Amino acid sequence: MKLQRKNGLRATALGALAVSGALVLTACGSDDNTGAGDASTKPTAATSAVCEGAEGQLLASGSSAQKNAMDLWVKNYMAACTGVEVNYKSSSSGEGIIAFNQGTVGFAGSDSALKPEEVADSKKICQGGQGINLPMVGGPIAIGYHLEGVDSLVLDAPTLAKIFDSKIKSWDDAAIAKLNPDVKLPKKPIQAFHRSEDSGTTQNLGKYLGATAASDWKYEAEKKWPAPGGQAASGSSGVATQVKQVDGAIGYFELSYATSQQISTVKIDTGASAPVEATSENASKAIAAAKIKGTGKDLALELDYATKADGAYPVVLVTYEIACDKGNKAETLPTVKSFLTYTASDEGQKLLSEAGYAPIPAEINAKVRETVASLS
């Protein structure tokens, strides 16, 4: 269907998209999204309404965790909304927030909610308002490993903490062997990889380790990697590439990177009846317990990293799109609202069914849609 774009942004058209329904996001994705065309759908009347008022170029940047999701969103949104260009630079959560607070992007992606000082900085850009967190997509942080001859591996939080803190240095360590009694572990050095730049994925891993292995992980959960030792790589894609190439390696990245590069992932012993695999479905079970901790229009979530529920994968993140609640730039506001309305809509979310992400709870997503429609 050929879309007919109309002049002017109508709040009623955007508000019409605030419909109920759970997001359907499951595993598999790729860095280059060569299969994105298979996930495309024909534009609908709802998409036509989303496009109203959007025009020109919209710049955004931040989280590499949502790169595969953003690639799909941008491709399909631009195919539907002719005359609009969305340019999302996948860098890191830290860089995205800096760019947002410098006023160089219309919105930013971050795997961690804004800190109080970052909210204060945002008020200089958001005239009469402030930056708010809009949870847009969740997912598991996979612990990927490369160990020749070992295709199944179980670890728990204390053991992971010691590995990433360089306290456990060999794959045949007694703590790893105890968790894997039927696995022949090689006497091989562990090469642990972490993110080189400020990363919300790093911070979420730190929150998990701090909540579940406090006696073994003494570091604050920050975007900057805190522990000594290990090796650094840029972006989730860089860490995944190193793990893929190096025998004896272990690292952390979003599930889509493990899926696309066929990297083995660790099952986590949470204390549940069985170790839990990193899957979108299992991450969804953990994210379903999330509570909104933000106030006003801010929808920052509190996650339960210490869950022991059967089948709930605890190492999860939620990626936020960060925008001004008030004071958005007049020249980009219509396109920001248009694009974020699309990403939060049923149609936008269904495009991600094979991108390796997990759903935001339906009741929270309904609030996201309502908030996006109210941006000014």
Side-chain angles (χ1 to χ4, degrees), residues 171-182 185:
W171 281 110
D172 64 346
D173 187 273
I176 302 176
K178 184 177 180 180
L179 291 164
N180 298 273
D182 299 323
L185 296 164

Side-chain angles (χ1 to χ4, degrees), residues 5-10 14 48-56 77 84 330-336 338:
R5 296 184 58 241
K6 301 177 183 179
N7 295 325
L9 180 68
R10 293 203 295 266
L14 292 171
S48 180
V50 168
C51 297
E52 292 187 34
E55 61 183 358
Y77 174 82
V84 184
E331 61 269 27
T332 57
L333 173 61
T335 308
V336 168
S338 170

